[in-house]
Amino acid sequence: MAFSEFRRLDEDSLIEYIKATPSLSSKIGNKFDDLTIKEVGDGNLNFVYIVAGSSGSFVLKQALPYIRCIGESWPMTKERAYFEAMALKEHGQLCPGHVPEVYHFDHTMALIGMRYLEPPHIILRKGLIAGIEYPLLAEHMSEYMARTLFSTSLLYRTTLEHKRADLGFETVIHLHLLNFVEMWSYAGLPEQVVFSDPYKVSQFNRCTSPFLDRDAEAVREDNTLKLEVAELKSKFCERAQALIHGDLHTGSVMVTLDSTQVIDPEFAFYGPMGFDIGAFLGNLILAYFAQDGHVDQGNDRKTYKKWILKTIEETWTLFHNKFTALWHQHKDGSGEAYLPEIYNNPELQQLIQEKYMKDLFHDTLGFGAAKMIRRIVGVAHVEDFESIEDSSKRAACERRALDLAKMLLKERRKFQAITEVISAIQLQS
Amino acid sequence: MAFSEFRRLDEDSLIEYIKATPSLSSKIGNKFDDLTIKEVGDGNLNFVYIVAGSSGSFVLKQALPYIRCIGESWPMTKERAYFEAMALKEHGQLCPGHVPEVYHFDHTMALIGMRYLEPPHIILRKGLIAGIEYPLLAEHMSEYMARTLFSTSLLYRTTLEHKRADLGFETVIHLHLLNFVEMWSYAGLPEQVVFSDPYKVSQFNRCTSPFLDRDAEAVREDNTLKLEVAELKSKFCERAQALIHGDLHTGSVMVTLDSTQVIDPEFAFYGPMGFDIGAFLGNLILAYFAQDGHVDQGNDRKTYKKWILKTIEETWTLFHNKFTALWHQHKDGSGEAYLPEIYNNPELQQLIQEKYMKDLFHDTLGFGAAKMIRRIVGVAHVEDFESIEDSSKRAACERRALDLAKMLLKERRKFQAITEVISAIQLQS
């Protein structure tokens, strides 16, 4: 059953589709009598079906040519399913332990078949709201980010031939094109919602009103902040540093106590590395500031807040160490950025690494802060805060996060170490 | 006569081709009996024919799938004819006074038909060697750079739709792809020859030996220089700031006393603006330092050196003024970088422009210096110096240029104004 053009699958046509697709039907042992199908997409862009039988399971994700929550008035290319599938495959090759396996991809149908992340996997954000500690989270996420970012950058790569061997020329071209499409085309996603909307009056913006009205206004009136966010926006639009996930918040990570899986790279493109690292750390900081809103009689969340801070610190530190270790390991390789014939003396190596990692740290803080700000005064908010019912309490949590983020965005170049960021977070809370 | 695959045209097949191509044959009034055809390509990548008759003329340029001077061992995609044609068209729309008109483009044949720049047009580099003053050069080149760079950047542009209206989607995609191809594929062009080869031992490098042997070695041993050039290389490979010419040296400009025409944008791609401005100014500085080698009894070149310095200063100053004027003119437009709803207060506007122009100035100095260095100790040298027969005299000129370039590359961020650069040049000479 090959469709010659896109159509949205429902539960009936889904079964027909699976029957006709060996790479999917084999995953459930070709048994259809005990199959359950459940639509679980809680995002805005896709339908997500869990298909499970007695002999196996998988997930089918279909992208829609518009954003689901806003409706067909906001057209979106279903090509992002293509980018998602390619990014899952590429990042999966680089870090198979933390990326779900892709079983099937249908370009015409914008359909991806991939591993079902079975219970007790939950979305990390929900775990953070529930106050669950994940002892391996920093280790796993630093591993994922170090491997995917290093290996798709010019520190590791040189020629098209290298890429061809891995994935085929088409993929590379298309992944890079996304950079372009992102740059000139998408109607406000994500460069507008992150870097523009929070800094202007927009019908889509909201904040915890009336408590944060004045704070939102202050964001729009802060010239220094706006100057800094413009620099980040340019970097986001123009700098093809590595194949980044593009939306690496805590809602794009599924976890158990011993498993960490990164999902949903549908905004993957060649962009600045700090946008990924910042997204993850920024969302951990949001989770931290939301904790006071989740205090109840049984749990003051103090221990949990310490764990989040420790995770933030360890994530950066481990990332730094793993990334520079990969660099050291491949310093005689074919990476185009620092050719061994030129840069292979220890003193110069150290100068270069320090400079590179310092710049990346500052990018991370800047992008992380921009992501935090947009989640408090922009269009899309986070469940960490939204689930705090008392709006004055919620506003108090959000304000602390917002004030920290504004400071980080403006002063990021003054920070030398992640421990200084941790101290700044503690000072604010 | 449509060819289904690429073949190199010779003078006979050329005439058949023209006869079968109305957009070309009409340019010579469909008269073939008095036609003269002359091959004039002095570059390494193409054949260039001047086709002239009593009723008109044009140039036919055919790209070859290898670099002509090195032979077929160095494969090059003939796709660059496509990029050249598209860039000529796009830049021609933006600045018709300084870009030759394209009459015909044949993708399969990698063939461009365009305006013949009739005598007394000569290559600017030859004019500079001959000591000819071009009173309008700074005015014209600043106009060309301001219009092409501003209008293809996010200061002016927003959506794909806008681009589609201009040129068609295909063009945009392909032009952007070049960025990618440049980044990962081209065997050493230009990121290697500019940013890598001069800083390592390479069989292709040469210098005026033995006089500059120690200088070339010093370049390879200068850690600070190598650190700085790595930053420029990353920016060159990763930053899609505007559709740049990509090879804007004084050999890519044809001039008369009142006409200035920019040719050969076959390396056009979305890259950093400073690479274009730096290429032009850096080559003017090389021309300046070469003057002492062209002194003869009739001309001490002192007046001419002053004119070159004045032209360098005016080119940047006029570029700055024209670029910021375009920005001011379009500040309420649809440019994505600084949305009017966010940035339209005079104080913030000024902050932004100062920062943007300062960064661009430093990029310009850095790229210009890198271009100078590679012309003295890298693979491809410039006729300005090569035409100085006495090699010790040539080396003395080159050393002064090299020393200035090294200083500029390392200290560029300390320069606040073009007048300071002029003073540094004078100090060195």
Side-chain angles (χ1 to χ4, degrees):
Chain A
M1 188 170 78
F3 293 116
S4 60
E5 58 179 36
F6 176 83
R7 49 174 284 196
R8 168 158 139 51
L9 288 181
D10 55 24
E11 294 199 13
D12 291 338
S13 53
L14 207 64
I15 291 188
E16 294 309 307
Y17 186 92
I18 295 164
K19 283 183 176 166
T21 309
S23 58
L24 294 176
S25 52
S26 65
K27 290 286 160 194
I28 47 168
N30 294 296
K31 287 165 66 182
F32 292 87
D33 42 353
D34 62 351
L35 221 52
T36 62
I37 296 181
K38 198 165 63 165
E39 210 276 304
V40 297
D42 69 343
N44 306 314
L45 307 164
N46 313 283
F47 284 92
V48 179
Y49 294 96
I50 297 169
V51 179
S54 56
S55 302
S57 62
F58 55 83
V59 155
L60 268 184
K61 180 172 177 179
Q62 185 172 37
L64 299 176
Y66 48 86
I67 293 182
R68 195 173 159 190
C69 71
I70 299 182
E72 307 205 12
S73 65
W74 195 347
M76 286 275 294
T77 170
K78 68 184 168 57
E79 283 305 294
R80 62 181 200 282
Y82 182 78
F83 304 126
E84 174 167 0
M86 294 304 117
L88 282 171
K89 284 183 189 174
E90 172 139 18
H91 286 171
Q93 276 187 350
L94 297 168
C95 194
H98 303 300
V99 179
E101 187 183 348
V102 172
Y103 304 139
H104 173 73
F105 173 60
D106 182 330
H107 197 162
T108 307
M109 294 288 286
L111 193 73
I112 304 171
M114 66 181 112
R115 177 185 164 195
Y116 169 45
L117 296 168
E118 68 293 341
H121 277 104
I122 60 169
I123 292 288
L124 172 58
R125 192 186 298 286
K126 292 186 188 292
L128 294 167
I129 294 167
I132 303 167
E133 293 186 17
Y134 296 95
L136 297 173
L137 184 64
E139 169 67 27
H140 288 171
M141 286 304 293
S142 60
E143 181 78 11
Y144 166 81
M145 293 191 293
R147 290 200 170 274
T148 57
L149 298 179
F150 176 82
S151 309
T152 59
S153 78
L154 287 173
L155 294 177
Y156 178 69
R157 283 201 180 146
T158 172
T159 62
L160 194 54
E161 285 65 42
H162 164 79
K163 285 288 298 165
R164 270 190 186 130
D166 278 345
L167 276 171
F169 183 72
E170 281 290 284
T171 305
V172 182
I173 293 296
H174 279 89
L175 280 170
H176 195 73
L177 272 186
L178 183 57
N179 195 6
F180 173 78
V181 174
E182 289 280 354
M183 183 171 164
W184 300 112
S185 154
Y186 276 6
L189 277 172
E191 62 273 25
Q192 289 189 9
V193 293
V194 178
F195 302 105
S196 294
D197 286 348
Y199 305 90
K200 67 179 191 187
V201 175
S202 159
Q203 54 168 323
F204 296 115
N205 287 344
R206 25 179 218 99
C207 69
T208 301
S209 191
F211 308 100
L212 292 188
D213 289 350
R214 181 66 202 110
D215 300 77
E217 199 183 328
V219 166
R220 296 194 298 269
E221 288 168 355
D222 189 330
N223 281 358
T224 313
L225 194 67
K226 284 154 66 165
L227 196 64
E228 291 296 339
V229 88
E231 183 173 325
L232 293 170
K233 182 176 182 176
S234 286
K235 199 170 265 189
F236 177 79
C237 291
E238 296 173 350
R239 185 163 191 203
Q241 192 178 19
L243 178 60
I244 68 173
H245 179 286
D247 200 23
L248 195 55
H249 55 75
T250 51
S252 295
V253 182
M254 293 196 75
V255 284
T256 67
L257 292 184
D258 52 14
S259 166
T260 307
Q261 302 291 326
V262 177
I263 60 171
D264 290 351
E266 59 198 18
F267 293 107
F269 75 113
Y270 278 89
M273 298 177 180
F275 193 72
D276 268 7
I277 315 166
F280 185 68
L281 296 185
N283 274 269
L284 285 182
I285 300 174
L286 292 179
Y288 173 88
F289 282 106
Q291 294 303 316
D292 289 348
H294 301 308
V295 167
D296 58 29
Q297 288 179 325
N299 190 342
D300 66 6
R301 298 281 178 132
K302 283 187 180 159
T303 311
Y304 195 61
K305 284 170 75 174
K306 277 188 194 148
W307 175 80
I308 296 179
L309 290 185
K310 181 164 146 278
T311 301
I312 292 168
E313 182 178 338
E314 284 184 3
T315 300
W316 173 261
T317 305
L318 288 169
F319 168 80
H320 180 283
N321 297 347
K322 287 165 191 275
F323 190 92
T324 51
L326 283 168
W327 193 342
H328 186 73
Q329 185 184 335
H330 295 283
K331 71 179 162 45
D332 300 322
S334 52
E336 183 64 45
Y338 303 98
L339 301 178
E341 309 95 291
I342 305 176
Y343 294 99
N344 235 349
N345 79 60
E347 184 197 348
L348 192 50
Q349 280 281 330
Q350 191 172 338
L351 276 174
I352 286 166
Q353 283 205 355
E354 279 170 10
K355 184 172 186 309
Y356 195 99
M357 298 312 288
K358 191 183 79 179
D359 287 347
L360 184 51
F361 184 56
H362 293 158
D363 276 8
T364 296
L365 298 183
F367 285 121
K371 293 276 225 172
M372 290 172 66
I373 291 169
R374 77 103 157 188
R375 295 296 190 178
I376 299 167
V377 298
V379 48
H381 288 223
V382 288
E383 197 183 336
D384 310 65
F385 291 129
E386 296 298 288
S387 57
I388 302 169
E389 282 185 21
D390 178 333
S391 59
S392 82
K393 198 187 280 181
R394 186 194 323 138
C397 293
E398 289 178 321
R399 182 178 292 120
R400 288 194 285 271
L402 182 63
D403 288 345
L404 177 84
K406 285 167 63 179
M407 185 275 289
L408 275 183
L409 185 51
K410 291 190 276 192
E411 311 284 329
R412 65 190 184 280
R413 294 179 196 84
K414 294 183 185 155
F415 285 82
Q416 302 292 322
I418 190 70
T419 47
E420 296 168 17
V421 180
I422 303 296
S423 302
I425 297 171
Q426 286 174 311
L427 264 179
Q428 194 62 247
S429 57
Chain B
M1 189 169 77
F3 293 116
S4 59
E5 58 181 34
F6 176 82
R7 49 175 285 198
R8 167 158 139 51
L9 288 182
D10 56 24
E11 293 199 14
D12 291 338
S13 53
L14 207 64
I15 291 188
E16 294 310 307
Y17 187 92
I18 295 164
K19 282 183 177 166
T21 309
S23 57
L24 294 176
S25 53
S26 65
K27 289 287 161 193
I28 46 169
N30 293 297
K31 286 164 68 183
F32 293 85
D33 44 351
D34 61 352
L35 221 52
T36 62
I37 296 181
K38 199 165 62 164
E39 211 275 306
V40 296
D42 69 343
N44 306 315
L45 307 164
N46 312 283
F47 284 92
V48 179
Y49 295 96
I50 296 167
V51 179
S54 57
S55 303
S57 63
F58 54 85
V59 156
L60 267 184
K61 179 172 178 179
Q62 186 173 39
L64 299 177
Y66 49 86
I67 292 182
R68 194 173 161 189
C69 69
I70 299 183
E72 307 203 13
S73 65
W74 195 347
M76 285 276 294
T77 170
K78 66 183 169 58
E79 283 305 295
R80 61 182 201 284
Y82 182 77
F83 302 128
E84 174 167 0
M86 293 306 116
L88 282 171
K89 284 184 190 174
E90 172 139 18
H91 286 172
Q93 275 187 348
L94 297 168
C95 193
H98 304 298
V99 179
E101 187 183 349
V102 172
Y103 303 139
H104 175 70
F105 173 61
D106 183 330
H107 197 162
T108 306
M109 294 288 286
L111 195 72
I112 305 171
M114 66 182 110
R115 178 186 163 193
Y116 168 47
L117 297 167
E118 68 292 342
H121 276 104
I122 60 169
I123 292 288
L124 172 58
R125 193 185 298 284
K126 292 186 186 293
L128 294 166
I129 293 166
I132 303 167
E133 294 186 16
Y134 296 96
L136 296 174
L137 183 64
E139 170 67 26
H140 288 171
M141 286 304 293
S142 60
E143 181 79 10
Y144 167 81
M145 295 192 293
R147 289 199 170 275
T148 58
L149 299 178
F150 176 83
S151 310
T152 59
S153 77
L154 287 173
L155 294 177
Y156 178 68
R157 281 200 180 147
T158 172
T159 62
L160 194 54
E161 285 65 42
H162 163 79
K163 287 287 297 163
R164 270 190 184 132
D166 276 345
L167 276 171
F169 183 71
E170 280 291 285
T171 305
V172 182
I173 292 296
H174 279 88
L175 281 169
H176 195 71
L177 272 186
L178 184 56
N179 194 6
F180 173 79
V181 175
E182 289 279 354
M183 183 170 163
W184 301 112
S185 156
Y186 275 7
L189 279 172
E191 62 273 25
Q192 289 188 10
V193 293
V194 178
F195 302 106
S196 295
D197 287 348
Y199 305 91
K200 66 179 190 185
V201 174
S202 158
Q203 56 168 321
F204 298 115
N205 286 344
R206 32 183 213 94
C207 69
T208 301
S209 190
F211 308 100
L212 293 189
D213 289 349
R214 180 65 202 111
D215 301 78
E217 200 183 328
V219 166
R220 295 194 297 270
E221 287 169 357
D222 189 330
N223 282 357
T224 312
L225 194 66
K226 284 154 64 165
L227 195 67
E228 291 295 341
V229 88
E231 183 172 324
L232 292 171
K233 182 175 182 177
S234 286
K235 200 171 265 190
F236 177 78
C237 291
E238 296 173 350
R239 185 163 192 204
Q241 192 178 20
L243 178 60
I244 69 174
H245 178 283
D247 199 23
L248 195 56
H249 55 74
T250 50
S252 296
V253 182
M254 294 196 75
V255 284
T256 67
L257 292 185
D258 52 15
S259 166
T260 307
Q261 303 291 326
V262 177
I263 60 172
D264 290 350
E266 60 199 18
F267 294 107
F269 76 114
Y270 278 90
M273 297 177 182
F275 193 74
D276 268 6
I277 314 166
F280 185 68
L281 296 186
N283 274 271
L284 285 183
I285 300 173
L286 292 179
Y288 173 88
F289 283 105
Q291 293 303 316
D292 288 350
H294 302 306
V295 167
D296 59 30
Q297 290 179 324
N299 190 343
D300 64 8
R301 298 279 178 134
K302 282 188 180 158
T303 310
Y304 195 59
K305 285 170 74 176
K306 277 190 195 147
W307 175 80
I308 296 180
L309 290 185
K310 179 164 148 279
T311 301
I312 292 168
E313 181 178 338
E314 283 184 1
T315 301
W316 172 262
T317 305
L318 288 170
F319 168 80
H320 179 285
N321 296 348
K322 287 166 192 274
F323 191 92
T324 51
L326 282 168
W327 193 341
H328 186 73
Q329 186 184 334
H330 294 283
K331 72 178 162 48
D332 300 322
S334 52
E336 183 64 47
Y338 303 99
L339 301 177
E341 308 94 291
I342 305 176
Y343 294 97
N344 234 348
N345 78 61
E347 186 197 346
L348 191 51
Q349 280 281 330
Q350 191 173 337
L351 277 173
I352 287 166
Q353 282 206 354
E354 280 170 9
K355 184 171 186 310
Y356 195 99
M357 298 313 288
K358 190 183 77 179
D359 288 347
L360 184 52
F361 185 56
H362 294 157
D363 276 8
T364 296
L365 297 183
F367 286 120
K371 293 276 226 172
M372 290 172 66
I373 291 169
R374 78 103 157 187
R375 294 298 191 180
I376 299 167
V377 297
V379 48
H381 288 223
V382 288
E383 196 182 338
D384 311 66
F385 291 129
E386 296 298 287
S387 56
I388 302 169
E389 282 184 24
D390 178 334
S391 59
S392 82
K393 197 186 281 181
R394 187 194 324 137
C397 293
E398 289 178 322
R399 181 177 292 118
R400 287 194 283 273
L402 182 63
D403 288 345
L404 177 83
K406 285 167 62 179
M407 185 277 289
L408 274 184
L409 185 50
K410 292 190 276 192
E411 312 283 329
R412 65 189 183 282
R413 293 180 197 84
K414 294 182 185 156
F415 286 81
Q416 302 293 321
I418 190 69
T419 47
E420 296 167 17
V421 179
I422 303 297
S423 302
I425 297 171
Q426 286 173 312
L427 264 178
Q428 195 62 249
S429 57

